[in-house]
Amino acid sequence: MQIKENISLQPFNSFGIDVYAKYFASFNSIDQLQELIASTQHKKNKHLILGGGSNILFTKNMEALVIKNEIEGVEVIEEQDDFILVQAGAGMNWHQFVVYCIHHGYAGVENLALIPGSIGASPMQNIGAYGVEIKDIFHSLEAIDMHDGNKKIFTNAECEFGYRESVFKNKYKDQFAITSVTYRLSKKPVFNTTYGAIQQEIDEMGIKDLSIKAIAQAVMNIRNSKLPDPLKIGNAGSFFKNPEIETGEFEKIKLAFPSLVGYPTKKDNIKIPAGWLIEQAGWKGFKEGDVGCYDKQALVLVNYGKATGMQILDLSERIIKSVQSTFGIMLQREVNVY
Ligand code: FAD
Ligand code: NAP
């Protein structure tokens, strides 16, 4: 394990932003991570744990020790008649984990196929798509405290999961390095195809016998048709969260904008697709230099080439102000800005 100096982070973030890390190292075991924690470079600098870099916007050079998690491996740690506990290393690619589960017939993650990034980042913002969030199948995680190198186990309740939120994005921000996550998967699948266009896609695929494999394939087809491939167009997925507003406020806005759509939440609020608000405010397909708002999904801000992080942040600021003045709704960023 080597700590390198002055390393470009461009290959390590899906926006493709060209900033530099003062120090950079990767680790593939807890021992190596503890060595890094004991290093002078760690003691004298801030740190950033990096997974796949698919939910990050770098706006400046990182005057920090950037450490990339490369702990691999996946194993079954408990098996019962109807469920199974599978533990995966935090550096494992999320989609590879989904493929592993589908191959073995473990259900629960099929709706989350093709989400970029690592296992270790999946609890960070309680990743979700097509009606499933990881909190539904999360069992526990193991993390190392970056202050003292000690190990801590977090249960589902201790992670304080919310909509694209967890304790690691809030009170424990940058404090813990997640080293492995254990998921509780089902051996008796309950198919979830009611969300969005999944059922329609399954029908178009001509599937007669529904399976977790078919659902994952349908999700992958839909995602490939709507979302930009970060290898071709830099992006970090949804830049903003979908806002939740009170029912009264929703009704008021709907009077002025009858095509407004909303989905009731468990807290009796209404969740509004941020992409719809941004599109109505006129930003969908916007392009200025190398910065843009994706033409097939307005929630995704893109780097068409050499955009800087500050330019993308500026565009996000303009969009927030514009949506605020059109609808009176304040959008919150989902992407982690550094
Ligand atoms: P990174 O970007 O590397 O890190 C994100 C944050 O987590 C940073 O603050 C980082 O410090 C921290 N972090 C990373 N790993 C660790 C660790 N091991 N321990 C402690 N902290 C850590 N998200 C969804 O929820 N649903 C989607 O459907 C979805 N679709 C996407 C589609 C596209 C095309 C793209 C580009 C992104 C999408 N995302 C989606 C966002 C992103 O894929 C997820 O947030 C993913 O979990 C990020 O993983 P990562 O490893 O790339 O994290
Ligand atoms: P979509 O299906 O066009 O729907 C737009 C928005 O409306 C979604 O964000 C979704 O909220 C909400 N929605 C749609 N149907 C719903 C239902 N039946 N019940 C509750 N809410 C509903 O969205 P999309 O952009 O193509 O994305 C599809 C899924 O992938 C969504 O779950 C989205 O969150 C996820 N995704 C996430 C990212 C990311 O970076 N976070 C990127 C791409 C896609 P929810 O987001 O709360 O589900």
Side-chain angles (χ1 to χ4, degrees):
M1 186 199 55
Q2 189 197 353
I3 301 180
K4 298 178 188 159
E5 283 184 48
N6 209 26
I7 294 295
S8 170
L9 294 176
Q10 193 170 31
F12 302 112
N13 73 98
S14 63
F15 258 125
I17 304 295
D18 194 14
V19 293
Y20 280 72
K22 186 175 176 191
Y23 298 109
F24 183 90
S26 51
F27 62 94
N28 58 26
S29 67
I30 291 177
D31 285 350
Q32 286 193 345
L33 173 59
Q34 283 166 335
E35 255 182 71
L36 281 168
I37 292 171
S39 70
T40 317
Q41 289 90 334
H42 178 253
K43 285 182 180 148
K44 291 195 168 167
N45 293 279
K46 290 186 180 161
H47 66 264
L48 168 69
I49 318 280
L50 196 58
S54 65
N55 200 20
I56 278 187
L57 177 66
F58 290 120
T59 59
K60 53 185 181 302
N61 287 334
M62 293 297 293
E63 290 295 318
L65 170 63
V66 175
I67 37 187
K68 185 155 162 41
N69 191 328
E70 291 182 349
I71 299 179
E72 290 286 338
V74 59
E75 62 172 322
V76 171
I77 57 169
E78 186 182 333
E79 182 160 7
Q80 299 289 342
D81 287 349
D82 53 351
F83 74 86
I84 194 138
L85 296 185
V86 182
Q87 186 178 52
M92 184 178 191
N93 174 274
W94 172 263
H95 181 68
Q96 287 314 313
F97 177 69
V98 173
V99 170
Y100 164 91
C101 291
I102 288 165
H103 177 74
H104 288 87
Y106 307 152
V109 282
E110 54 280 4
N111 292 47
L112 304 175
L114 222 56
I115 297 181
S118 59
I119 282 281
S122 60
M124 281 294 298
Q125 67 156 12
N126 177 25
I127 58 168
Y130 297 97
V132 174
E133 293 177 327
I134 60 104
K135 74 170 172 52
D136 306 335
I137 44 162
F138 177 94
H139 178 268
S140 58
L141 65 77
E142 192 177 275
I144 299 293
D145 191 328
M146 294 298 292
H147 293 146
D148 53 20
N150 288 338
K151 202 181 274 186
K152 178 164 168 43
I153 306 289
F154 286 82
T155 61
N156 194 318
E158 285 169 329
C159 290
E160 295 176 19
F161 290 125
Y163 172 60
R164 303 295 187 266
E165 285 295 347
S166 77
V167 75
F168 305 105
K169 238 180 152 175
N170 295 296
K171 76 175 174 209
Y172 290 148
K173 189 163 171 53
D174 295 328
Q175 188 178 334
F176 287 94
I178 296 166
T179 50
S180 69
V181 183
T182 301
Y183 282 104
R184 186 185 196 276
L185 299 153
S186 172
K187 288 161 88 179
K188 296 177 180 159
V190 177
F191 301 129
N192 183 345
T193 60
T194 53
Y195 191 99
I198 298 186
Q199 189 57 54
Q200 187 188 333
E201 181 63 29
I202 282 169
D203 294 343
E204 284 170 15
M205 284 159 64
I207 301 288
K208 298 277 179 289
D209 295 324
L210 198 52
S211 63
I212 54 174
K213 191 174 177 193
I215 293 177
Q217 189 57 54
V219 167
M220 285 159 65
N221 294 351
I222 301 169
R223 293 180 74 98
N224 280 330
S225 71
K226 281 175 111 170
L227 292 168
D229 177 353
L231 293 175
K232 296 182 185 140
I233 303 176
N235 76 93
S238 305
F239 201 87
F240 305 98
K241 293 187 207 172
N242 294 310
E244 290 181 15
I245 60 174
E246 287 178 1
T247 314
E249 199 186 339
F250 176 79
E251 297 301 342
K252 232 188 276 170
I253 301 174
K254 199 165 170 67
L255 280 179
F257 299 91
S259 61
L260 177 69
V261 276
Y263 302 94
T265 68
K266 284 182 188 137
K267 291 180 190 152
D268 283 340
N269 286 333
I270 307 278
K271 183 182 68 184
I272 301 179
W276 185 90
L277 297 170
I278 297 167
E279 183 176 349
Q280 296 298 309
W283 292 98
K284 194 175 186 181
F286 173 87
K287 185 171 185 294
E288 192 174 79
D290 276 345
V291 181
C293 179
Y294 194 53
D295 57 1
K296 290 186 194 153
Q297 168 53 287
L299 203 46
V300 180
L301 302 190
V302 290
N303 173 10
Y304 286 109
K306 293 197 167 127
T308 64
M310 277 315 286
Q311 288 170 330
I312 292 167
L313 188 66
D314 284 350
L315 174 60
S316 75
E317 204 54 53
R318 286 161 74 185
I319 290 174
I320 289 172
K321 284 192 179 131
S322 159
V323 167
Q324 165 80 33
S325 71
T326 312
F327 299 101
I329 295 175
M330 181 70 95
L331 292 180
Q332 307 288 332
R333 293 183 186 94
E334 178 178 307
V335 168
N336 298 279
V337 178
Y338 287 94

